[in-house]
Amino acid sequence: MSGKSKILVIGGTGYIGKFIVEAAAKAGHPTTLLVREATLSNPAKSNIIQNFKNLGVNFLIGDLYDHESLVKGIKRVDVVISTLGHGQLADQDKIIAAIKEAGNVKRFFPSEFGNDVDRVHVVEPAKSAFGTKAKIRRAVEAAGIPYTYVSSNFFAGYSLTTFSQSGATAPPRDKVVIVGDGNPKVVFNKEVDIATYTIKAVDDPRTLDKILYIRPPLNTYSFNDLVSLWEKKIGKTLERIYVSEEQLLKNIQESAVPLSVMLAIRHSVFVKGDHTNFEIEPSFGVEASVLYPDVKYTTVDEYLDQFV
């Protein structure tokens, strides 16, 4: 056996989960996926499952809501990574209970992969979602479980593909809506890089009981600078339409979920600058591109080339 930690991923067929599972297997970690019987036979998931099989991933048939199967699975591994989606964040208390009972886990990564929820200025309805993540953090700490929280900021696949324009499927070509003044710095990371950094942190003592921030300098842009970069690439000046904070707050109140959640997150990131409006102090955090300079991450500049 390799000296690398054995990893169990819960929620590994979801959006970020599939990247995490693949990165773990490719890095040589014995990797197990907790998976429901129904997921294995779901045609919509067949490509993901086949890819995992090709990578030598083990499948543990079980369920988040079946305590016994969860404990049994956790006892076989060293590290548990949760990539559960929005609707199941609160149910991670079941993973915490199982980890406590199993008593052998060296590290738990709860489902985070966004803003640092302890350092946000966020309005409802995103406030409640972030609050759930914060509550899980407190429960992990209260249980004395060794942890790493991954704050990966924005997924490039969501935010750079559309420039966070509502209803868009590609970057803008004529006009672009900018919320706030467009000056706060925002961080955009490619999903495969987020997964690579996460797995590098698994056996690293420097990330133990810390927040791992993925904030590479070349992926940190103000919205205004991002638009300027894009304009240079396409050789065209876009019409910039600025939406005031006041108007955005009104839009949030008048919208229904999930749009209102997305708008509230944009308010936190683009108006309040919550990706970058604090220093990463050694007492609570570390920055991934500093810890792992060998990782050749995809820059925002490179990422945008595919859309030109």
Side-chain angles (χ1 to χ4, degrees):
M1 282 304 284
S2 73
K4 295 193 174 190
S5 284
K6 298 198 268 296
I7 298 174
L8 173 69
V9 183
I10 302 172
T13 62
Y15 182 74
I16 195 65
K18 58 187 180 291
F19 294 101
I20 300 280
V21 172
E22 183 165 332
K26 283 182 171 170
H29 290 273
T31 305
T32 302
L33 175 66
L34 181 77
V35 67
R36 292 193 302 268
E37 198 77 75
T39 305
L40 279 182
S41 54
N42 179 355
K45 299 283 187 183
S46 61
N47 286 352
I48 296 171
I49 297 295
Q50 191 51 55
N51 181 41
F52 290 169
K53 285 179 177 168
N54 297 344
L55 289 166
V57 172
N58 304 305
F59 298 95
L60 172 69
I61 305 297
D63 197 297
L64 180 60
Y65 306 100
D66 174 1
H67 183 70
E68 295 313 309
S69 77
L70 204 50
V71 172
K72 209 170 88 179
I74 288 169
K75 280 186 169 164
R76 296 182 196 164
V77 299
D78 308 302
V79 172
V80 178
I81 301 177
S82 167
T83 53
L84 290 169
H86 180 75
Q88 289 182 297
L89 290 174
D91 295 337
Q92 292 180 107
D93 58 1
K94 303 194 171 13
I95 303 173
I96 293 169
I99 288 174
K100 270 183 84 169
E101 186 173 320
N104 62 300
V105 168
K106 295 197 307 201
R107 195 90 62 99
F108 176 43
F109 290 67
S111 189
E112 289 265 347
F113 307 105
N115 285 37
D116 175 5
V117 293
D118 285 332
R119 292 168 182 84
V120 282
H121 308 78
V122 66
V123 297
E124 292 294 4
K127 189 176 185 174
S128 297
F130 286 8
T132 302
K133 287 185 177 182
K135 219 160 101 182
I136 291 297
R137 287 186 177 192
R138 303 296 84 83
V140 169
E141 291 153 13
I145 295 167
Y147 65 83
T148 300
Y149 306 140
V150 179
S151 175
S152 55
N153 301 304
F154 269 170
F155 295 145
Y158 276 174
S159 46
L160 282 183
T161 306
T162 63
F163 275 55
S164 298
Q165 304 295 294
S166 293
T169 52
R173 293 275 168 173
D174 301 304
K175 53 178 191 263
V176 60
V177 174
I178 299 171
V179 296
D181 62 11
N183 291 328
K185 296 267 197 275
V186 180
V187 186
F188 306 88
N189 289 308
K190 191 174 177 179
E191 290 78 352
V192 67
D193 296 332
I194 292 169
T196 300
Y197 283 128
T198 300
I199 297 307
K200 280 204 167 277
V202 161
D203 287 326
D204 188 343
R206 297 173 297 176
T207 59
L208 179 63
D209 297 340
K210 292 276 194 288
I211 302 166
L212 177 70
Y213 295 94
I214 306 179
R215 209 197 263 187
L218 295 176
N219 287 359
T220 306
Y221 279 80
S222 73
F223 208 111
N224 286 324
D225 289 344
L226 183 68
V227 172
S228 298
L229 173 68
W230 178 240
E231 287 173 334
K232 212 165 80 195
K233 285 187 185 294
I234 60 171
K236 194 176 172 191
T237 302
L238 302 180
E239 182 194 347
R240 302 186 188 204
I241 301 159
Y242 289 89
V243 174
S244 70
E245 179 176 13
E246 191 183 6
Q247 182 59 51
L248 178 60
L249 291 170
K250 196 163 169 280
N251 295 350
I252 292 166
Q253 285 179 333
E254 290 169 1
S255 303
V257 171
L259 177 61
S260 54
V261 179
M262 278 163 51
L263 293 177
I265 291 171
R266 285 177 199 167
H267 175 260
S268 157
V269 174
F270 293 124
V271 178
K272 296 299 185 187
D274 282 342
H275 281 178
T276 57
N277 62 11
F278 59 92
E279 294 298 320
I280 299 169
E281 303 288 348
S283 59
F284 61 78
V286 287
E287 200 283 310
S289 67
V290 172
L291 284 192
Y292 312 114
D294 54 311
V295 173
K296 296 277 174 277
Y297 65 88
T298 299
T299 66
V300 165
D301 194 337
E302 292 162 346
Y303 192 89
L304 289 176
D305 285 339
Q306 65 186 305
F307 306 116
V308 173

